Amino acid sequence: STGFILEGFPEDPEQVEYMLERQLFPDVVVVLEVEATDVQKRLLPTYLEKWRDLHSKHEEQLKHLRHLRKINREENISKRRAELMEEQGRNESRFTVRKDDEDEDEDEDEDENNIKDEIEAVLEVEFPEEDNLEEMENEETENAAVERIQEEIQDRFEIDATNLVTVAELLSGNNLPKLVFNTSRKLRIIQYDLLQKIKPLVANRESLFQTSQPISCKLAQKLLLSSYKLHSAFGCWDPVQRYNEKDTIQPMQWPLNSTYPLLLSQYIYFFGSKENRNTFMLNPLKYLRQPKPTPTLPVKIAVVGPPKSGKTTVAQMFAEKYGLARLSIGAAMRMVLNSKKHTDLAVQMRRYLTQGLVLPDELAIQCLEVALLSSVCSIRGYVLDGFPTTLKQAELMEDRSIIPMIVFELDLETVEILKRGLVDKMNPSKPYLMHDSSEILHSWDCSYRKEVGLVRQYFQEQHQNWFAVDGLKSKWWIWKNILGEVNISMKCMHSYLERRQSGKAACINRLCITPKELECRLGEFGHYCPVCLALHHHLVDCSETAALTNAAEYKRHYYRLCGENHLEKFLSTPDEFVAPCCPHNLPQPHLLPRKLTEFQEKNEFPKQAEMKSFCPVTYKEGKQRYEALVRGKMEYAVEYKGKLYTFETKQKQDMFLRMPETYWDQKLPCKVPPLCEPVPLTSLPTLGYLEQGVAVAVIKAMTAAGSLRPKHPFVSITRSALLYVAFYLKAFNPRGTDYTRQKYKKKLASFEENSELISYLSSAMRGTYKPPGERTIDFDFKLKKFLELEALGASGAL
């Protein structure tokens, strides 16, 4: 099922002929080329080690054989000595008789020594010692073994090389693919190259019998027009590009002359490049198994930002790659004036323009609505370049159902805007002069920043489709991030439509659903999680989260979920969590716990908190002991069944909101900790009152003034410090309203900016006079501002 490798086969012409006769053709023949010296270096250590093992074994055998021979010789010598001694004894008895007769006085000791010497001489003659010199001469030395092994490897290499040449010629004559590798390199490099070239054979083996044919664009059009061949399920999508990038926006591939068609079976596929077409031909089944593209939805995007932030660049990239219509409010007006000149809208526009008046937002939105009627906007989509820029424009767009699915804000600082404007001004390729001076750019930027906060808040609250992008990054980084967000939104929309068509529950994330629509279509559980209620009988309120990331639609009703896990459970089996199969119903509205703010709790006066303001959750978890009686805080208050409860922490408050029935009805013991009577602030003396009331705020303000040392133009040092402290106290007053704090924060920032003018101008105006072209970018602007402060006077400037 997996395959096999024939190692070292075929190695001679006979084996090749055997394979060819029986049509046993391999997928590829891998030839490993190497020099004889490399083979000797690789094989010699192994062969030499074997020779050393055999040599050592041979030495041990010889040693053992010598030992056995020595033992055998000694045994034979001892036996022969005994025989000679016995024979000598018999001869001696006869000789002794004769000797007694002839000479009785001869010494017996001398006779015995002579006999022993004679016996030893006889034994040395009969059993001589072995000579090992011949064996030492016949043994092979290590150097001789190395030379012999190298010669054997060389001879075998020459024979194998000759056979390999013949085998390669026979295989090449039968058109068998061959891969040649030089194996003189390191082993890991050879393995990597081999795996890289063999891998396609394994990966693309499933498409071995799939035949495809590249064709020209002209032939593809003829085959499609004559209905002889059909469009594939991918249409004009590039299957390889879609497989690699997972793109949900159909790229622009029209006209077809710019594509690379391919014929497979009875279908024609289109590719964006020759490389993609060649990749597809290697393994068509790999790319045909991916999910087929769903019908494309029009892409609706808006790109806003300050001047020179790159809005037009991003819009043009979408228009070029995906064929979207790039619309600016000026282009829409010109289109109406040029192509719809006889309509009432064009007449009303000329009436304003001939008088030199600015066109009202109502007429501008009508022009945009007319431009969106084009087929390109309806089928492929559009990109709004720099629109909307005011809250009124955003509201008028929603009234006419012109709602972008995503609004991107390219954020850029004012200094960078002026730098880019200066660079563009020095560009010699401009065909004509433009109103892009530093003053004009600064005015546009101030106008944009004044309105964009309200527009951002509107889209975040109404549609949750506002995304901020750092405009200081490169255009490719910006393009990648914007395209990623667009793909996520398109996937959410496709998933929603598919699940809705099949009658399943669908997530409603990134569908630009307004809070009003959400409230109108909420299900029977309201903002409470039905999964928590069904599984744990917990009341989890999701109303504090404005995002609809974990919200779903089922049977035309919306349901809020507390997390991603519960969302998946609800999407898989929604019937288990909604009526009539839900095991628990949501209590009546007056029986639901309600979180209170400090202001709402004060409005409940003279109603007192239950359990003498002790935290019911802490008391319950402490097993209702005396030590568990802890006072609750006013900021963590809840109303339940007409009663007030305060809690120690926000976590304890959330636990009570989840399971109020567990904690609400508890009885305090007879003995409770005494109440800590607070000391009224107004009862303190003046210094104590100031210390407890405003000391911290005054210290912070004085510290900030001492660090900055502000000196406002045309105002004394003392008055500048007093004004700075006053602005600081107003800007950071915790008891003030948000509007008041924001107002004085702006005044404080303006005061600090004006205070820096003196030091900046004094350092910048040193030396000789500099022409305007050599000055810094913001010098003229700050000098003009300084002179305006002088004209206004001290009181007018502040």
Side-chain angles (χ1 to χ4, degrees), residues 117-365:
D117 293 337
E118 292 176 359
I119 291 173
E120 292 296 331
V122 171
L123 291 176
E124 288 181 0
V125 173
E126 293 183 358
F127 302 99
E129 292 185 0
E130 296 181 356
D131 191 3
N132 297 328
L133 292 177
E134 294 182 0
E135 294 182 359
M136 295 293 293
E137 292 177 358
N138 294 332
E139 287 183 0
E140 185 180 28
T141 62
E142 185 171 343
N143 293 332
V146 170
E147 294 179 358
R148 177 181 59 80
I149 292 172
Q150 289 180 345
E151 290 177 359
E152 291 177 356
I153 294 174
Q154 180 70 28
D155 296 339
R156 182 180 174 186
F157 179 84
E158 293 176 356
I159 295 172
D160 291 345
T162 305
N163 292 335
L164 184 61
V165 172
T166 308
V167 169
E169 292 178 354
L170 292 175
L171 295 175
S172 301
N174 290 273
N175 297 325
L176 288 177
K178 181 174 67 173
L179 298 178
V180 181
F181 295 92
N182 184 8
T183 56
S184 299
R185 299 172 294 173
K186 293 182 179 180
L187 179 61
R188 57 183 180 83
I189 300 177
I190 301 169
Q191 290 177 340
Y192 177 80
D193 293 343
L194 182 61
L195 290 175
Q196 290 297 317
K197 293 186 178 181
I198 296 295
K199 188 177 179 179
L201 295 176
V202 180
N204 303 330
R205 190 164 185 80
E206 59 183 357
S207 301
L208 189 62
F209 299 103
Q210 297 291 330
T211 57
S212 55
Q213 179 65 35
I215 58 177
S216 63
C217 296
K218 187 175 181 180
L219 179 58
Q221 293 181 15
K222 287 184 178 180
L223 293 174
L224 292 173
L225 291 175
S226 61
S227 299
Y228 187 71
K229 296 296 180 181
L230 305 174
H231 271 290
S232 69
F234 291 90
C236 291
W237 289 80
D238 187 337
V240 178
Q241 182 179 354
R242 179 177 172 81
Y243 183 87
N244 295 332
E245 300 181 3
K246 308 297 183 184
D247 205 347
T248 57
I249 312 174
Q250 182 175 357
M252 186 65 179
Q253 291 187 351
W254 192 264
L256 293 178
N257 294 332
S258 62
T259 62
Y260 299 89
L262 177 75
L263 179 63
L264 177 62
S265 184
Q266 57 180 346
Y267 300 104
I268 295 179
Y269 299 85
F270 296 93
F271 299 89
S273 63
K274 285 186 178 180
E275 291 77 11
N276 288 355
R277 183 171 67 179
N278 295 335
T279 304
F280 182 85
M281 292 173 64
L282 294 175
N283 191 357
L285 295 180
K286 173 183 175 181
Y287 301 100
L288 295 180
R289 287 198 185 103
Q290 64 177 312
K292 301 302 183 288
T294 56
T296 57
L297 298 173
V299 182
K300 303 175 182 179
I301 308 172
V303 184
V304 299
K308 304 298 179 182
S309 59
K311 306 182 296 295
T312 304
T313 301
V314 173
Q316 287 177 348
M317 294 176 75
F318 270 104
E320 291 173 1
K321 184 171 183 179
Y322 298 108
L324 307 185
R326 185 180 73 86
L327 296 176
S328 63
I329 197 64
M333 293 178 183
R334 287 189 291 270
M335 186 273 295
V336 172
L337 291 174
N338 295 331
S339 60
K340 311 286 184 181
K341 59 179 68 176
H342 300 295
T343 60
D344 294 338
L345 178 59
V347 172
Q348 295 179 25
M349 291 172 61
R350 288 195 189 92
R351 188 180 303 139
Y352 282 94
L353 296 176
T354 53
Q355 296 177 8
L357 301 176
V358 179
L359 207 65
D361 289 336
E362 290 80 0
L363 296 181
I365 298 300

Side-chain angles (χ1 to χ4, degrees), residues 531-560:
V531 179
C532 289
L533 186 62
L535 298 181
H536 312 293
H537 202 188
H538 289 178
L539 297 173
V540 181
D541 189 5
C542 305
S543 59
E544 294 183 358
T545 306
L548 300 179
T549 306
N550 298 319
E553 178 184 354
Y554 184 60
K555 294 182 179 180
R556 302 188 62 82
H557 290 289
Y558 294 152
Y559 298 92
R560 303 290 300 272

Side-chain angles (χ1 to χ4, degrees), residues 496 500 503-511 513-515 517-534 540-543 545-582 584-586:
Y496 172 79
R500 277 292 308 277
K504 299 178 181 178
C507 181
I508 59 175
N509 184 30
R510 298 205 179 196
L511 296 186
I513 296 174
T514 62
E517 181 184 357
L518 180 67
E519 290 292 337
C520 294
R521 297 180 58 182
L522 277 176
E524 62 270 21
F525 298 100
H527 290 279
Y528 289 88
C529 177
V531 179
C532 289
L533 186 62
V540 181
D541 189 5
C542 305
S543 59
T545 306
L548 300 179
T549 306
N550 298 319
E553 178 184 354
Y554 184 60
K555 294 182 179 180
R556 302 188 62 82
H557 290 289
Y558 294 152
Y559 298 92
R560 303 290 300 272
L561 288 308
C562 63
E564 186 176 354
N565 294 333
H566 285 188
L567 176 64
E568 293 177 358
K569 291 181 180 180
F570 184 85
L571 294 178
S572 59
T573 56
D575 290 325
E576 295 182 6
F577 307 107
V578 299
C581 300
C582 182
H584 307 289
N585 294 325
L586 189 70

Side-chain angles (χ1 to χ4, degrees), residues 615 617-618 621 630-638 646-656:
C615 178
V617 178
T618 306
E621 289 183 344
V630 180
R631 297 283 177 183
K633 298 179 182 179
M634 299 290 291
E635 56 194 87
Y636 306 124
V638 172
T646 56
F647 302 90
E648 180 185 4
T649 61
K650 188 177 185 303
Q651 182 181 3
K652 303 292 178 64
Q653 183 189 37
D654 293 337
M655 293 177 64
F656 184 88

